[in-house]
Amino acid sequence: MNDTILKLTNVESYYGPIMAIRGISLEVARGQIVALLGANGAGKTTVLKTISGILDPQKGTIEFRGQPIQRMEANRIVAMGLSHVPEGREVFPFLSVRENLMMGAFLRRDRDGVAADLERVYGYFPRLRERLQQPAGQLSGGEQQMLAIGRALMNRPTLLLLDEPSLGLSPLLVKEIFAIIRRVNEEQGTSILLVEQNAKVALETAHYGYVMEVGRVVMNDSCARLLNSRDIQEFYLGAKEAGARGERRWKKKKTWR
Ligand code: ATP
């Protein structure tokens, strides 16, 4: 892969004695959207936390923009241009929408650039402009997701990590949020690593995909090819036609061909 912005090699991370990721290797090319799929508990969130420095890997290397970051503090990684939108948004509920957005720019000193980026975020999410002075805790789930993405964009990231942006949102809002994710990628050239349970929307949005199972990558390919894979299609059908039953089938599946 040419012009790799992020490269993980044999990364292992633990929660106490529990090994949550077991030798993950993956790459994100500059300007690419990469999807990370897998059942609940496969280790997707742990991969993102390990990249952004919330967790220290026990083994392996993580290169971001050509520099090793596996021992770097999280705020230095943010300063290098990596923003992480965590699962469940984690907006500051008692701060206003504007204050939340400004928290995303806390390392920046270029006031004109910050003002321009605020305008850009309002352009992507006009609803945030309408609610600038409102405490973030009063926003709907969809608006909080917009705010969490907007806050991450205020760091003007080269790489954006998105953890389950569709979680708990209506299909209409999911469509809206993913259209913005595509626009950010196309207009700003931002590389994106996207963790999603909604495999269909993720594979239709991303360029390349990795599938994880029990802490390991079991499949990786272009999204066009993954969409045609029998295993992936089986999951879609299960998910589409049988709802929760499909989710159970995905969880029970032991191997990927
Ligand atoms: P989900 O979609 O449910 O978030 P995931 O693929 O993101 O799943 P992780 O959250 O990364 O999976 O979890 C990977 C494994 O690590 C799971 O077995 C989980 O139970 C375990 N785990 C996650 N967080 C912790 C924690 N704080 N302490 C101990 N174990 C954890």
Side-chain angles (χ1 to χ4, degrees), residues 15 18 20 39-46 87 164 197:
Y15 294 104
I18 302 162
N40 289 323
K44 308 177 298 297
T45 294
T46 306
E87 192 173 7
E164 303 263 11
Q197 281 285 326

Side-chain angles (χ1 to χ4, degrees), residues 200 234-243 246:
K200 186 171 189 303
E234 204 179 303
F235 165 59
Y236 284 149
L237 282 177
K240 239 191 220 165
E241 290 172 2

Side-chain angles (χ1 to χ4, degrees), residues 125-147:
F125 303 112
R127 262 186 273 180
L128 295 183
R129 195 201 292 271
E130 292 162 20
R131 288 163 174 68
L132 274 189
Q133 305 307 331
Q134 217 168 306
Q138 288 179 6
L139 302 181
S140 70
E143 289 162 352
Q144 288 191 14
Q145 186 64 70
M146 292 173 189
L147 180 56

